[in-house]
């Protein structure tokens, strides 16, 4: 859960630092790429986390909130990465596909666990 929290919060801290630093701090070197790349890398890391800890989804007694948390974060990043793909860089499609894979894989792992 700590790794998932880091994947979730680091891009938002980068966004806050970029916004405050470029507006009020006079740091012109803080571009949108400073925010966009962590937003695009986090879903890839979360997908690796999902496949590494898929037992937490299959057995809800061990990881009760892991499945819900990773789905919520994947949906949140899906929205931001669609915007980033359209407005910043087409490589964001990889992150969009990772978010969709997380959502589909979570459902499939739960179905296999019930059977």
């Amino acid at each position: 859960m700590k790794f998932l929290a880091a994947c979730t919060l680091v891009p938002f801290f980068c966004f806050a630092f970029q916004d405050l630093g470029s507006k009020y701090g006079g740091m012109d070197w803080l571009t949108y790429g400073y925010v966009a790349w962590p937003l695009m890398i986090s879903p890839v890391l979360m997908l690796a986390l999902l496949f590494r800890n898929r037992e937490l989804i299959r057995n809800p007694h061990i990881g009760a909130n892991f499945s819900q948390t990773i789905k919520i974060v994947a949906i949140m990043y899906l929205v931001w990465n669609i915007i980033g793909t359209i407005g910043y860089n087409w490589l964001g499609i990889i992150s969009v596909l990772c978010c969709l894979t997380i959502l589909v894989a979570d459902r499939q792992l739960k179905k296999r666990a019930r059977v």
Side-chain angles (χ1 to χ4, degrees), residues 53-69:
N53 297 317
R54 60 186 170 266
E55 191 61 37
L56 294 176
I57 294 174
R58 288 183 187 150
N59 190 356
H61 298 295
I62 297 172
N65 296 328
F66 181 76
S67 175
Q68 293 172 348
T69 305

Side-chain angles (χ1 to χ4, degrees), residues 2-48:
K2 291 178 186 178
F3 188 71
L4 181 61
C7 287
T8 305
L9 295 176
V10 166
F12 290 105
F13 287 142
C14 289
F15 183 72
F17 182 69
Q18 187 272 337
D19 191 38
L20 292 174
S22 64
K23 245 185 216 177
Y24 301 112
M27 297 180 207
D28 294 333
W29 55 272
L30 291 174
T31 63
Y32 287 111
Y34 183 77
V35 176
W37 285 105
L39 277 173
M40 289 190 285
I41 292 171
S42 287
V44 176
L45 296 175
M46 287 184 344
L47 184 63

